Amino acid sequence: MEVKLWNDKREREMYDNFAELYAIIKATEKLEKAYVRDIISPSEYETECQKLIAHFKTLASALKDTVPSIERFADTYKMDCPAAINRLVISGVPATVEHRAAASTMADPKIVAECTTNFITAMDVLKLNMVAVDQVHPVLSELSASLNKFAVLPPDFEGKTKMREWLSRLSKMSAADELTEQQARQLLFDLDSSFNSFMAALPNSGT
């Protein structure tokens, strides 16, 4: 007796997307390990990683209703890919980009403006009481990615660590879940505190 995995074209497309998402996460995990072990060059790593991140963002956006949490997806299929989850969901940029930023001492005005805009947007979202996970996660993800690109900030900068913590927490929730009043207040406080630290870290800021 033939067993069908899907009942219609739409369901088949969904399972095809699941398979592609699974493949992207696995490929990213292998790529991260290869880079750490010096099996591939930094330039090769960065090119391939950027492709995987771009494919992941496109697919994750298309699957946001059926796969609201990538971490939960990975747990469901017992993937055990922590490096891939960190690169795709939390960081959003290749490790080489993070390393260049850490090594540089120049503050790119465009990135400063991008970070500032993302901080303000994230705080405005909360002030407008937009507290659903699918409303908060995208703006925090954009903020985290822009902070990772900023050259002056150390890896343990308050804003980076707090955004990673919040993104990790949100990734374990469903898209329709909402932050409690206490959680939203704490997140707003963390954003405000991180923004003040960010402004103080800018060169020629008078500090």
Side-chain angles (χ1 to χ4, degrees), residues 53-142:
I53 289 171
H55 290 326
F56 169 77
K57 287 182 176 179
T58 301
L59 192 58
S61 177
L63 289 172
K64 65 180 180 180
D65 292 331
T66 49
V67 186
S69 169
I70 300 300
E71 289 187 347
R72 189 176 297 172
F73 176 88
D75 287 342
T76 299
Y77 294 99
K78 304 184 186 307
M79 300 187 69
D80 189 25
C81 296
I85 296 300
N86 176 68
R87 185 65 50 217
L88 297 170
V89 179
I90 299 174
S91 173
V93 296
T96 45
V97 174
E98 293 179 338
H99 298 163
R100 281 201 299 273
S104 173
T105 57
M106 296 299 291
D108 186 333
K110 290 182 180 179
I111 298 179
V112 172
E114 183 182 330
C115 290
T116 302
T117 299
N118 288 335
F119 264 118
I120 294 172
T121 300
M123 289 189 280
D124 283 347
V125 163
L126 293 172
K127 290 174 182 177
L128 291 171
N129 201 34
M130 298 168 65
V131 293
V133 170
D134 60 359
Q135 293 172 318
V136 178
H137 191 283
V139 294
L140 292 190
S141 183
E142 286 290 327

Side-chain angles (χ1 to χ4, degrees), residues 170-185:
L170 292 172
S171 293
K172 296 173 184 175
M173 300 166 66
S174 298
D177 288 346
E178 294 188 350
L179 298 179
T180 64
E181 183 178 346
Q182 184 178 358
Q183 287 174 323
R185 186 172 179 177

Side-chain angles (χ1 to χ4, degrees), residues 15 32 43 83 116 132-133 145 157:
Y15 281 114
E32 290 293 308
S43 60
T116 302
V133 170
F157 171 68

Side-chain angles (χ1 to χ4, degrees), residues 143-207:
L143 173 58
S144 181
S146 62
L147 288 174
N148 285 331
K149 290 189 290 184
F150 188 54
V152 175
L153 304 176
D156 60 349
F157 171 68
E158 174 190 0
K160 289 184 178 182
T161 56
K162 287 189 180 296
M163 291 312 103
R164 281 197 295 267
E165 290 168 2
W166 277 105
L167 284 169
S168 178
R169 190 179 309 174
L170 292 172
S171 293
K172 296 173 184 175
M173 300 166 66
S174 298
D177 288 346
E178 294 188 350
L179 298 179
T180 64
E181 183 178 346
Q182 184 178 358
Q183 287 174 323
R185 186 172 179 177
Q186 183 63 50
L187 176 53
L188 186 58
F189 176 83
D190 288 345
L191 284 166
D192 185 59
S193 174
S194 297
F195 182 55
N196 289 334
S197 297
F198 169 78
M199 295 302 292
L202 295 179
N204 303 319
S205 63
T207 59

Side-chain angles (χ1 to χ4, degrees), residues 2-8 11-12 14-15:
E2 184 180 352
V3 178
K4 287 187 176 182
L5 294 176
W6 53 80
N7 296 314
D8 52 40
E11 205 169 279
R12 176 177 181 174
M14 181 186 74
Y15 281 114

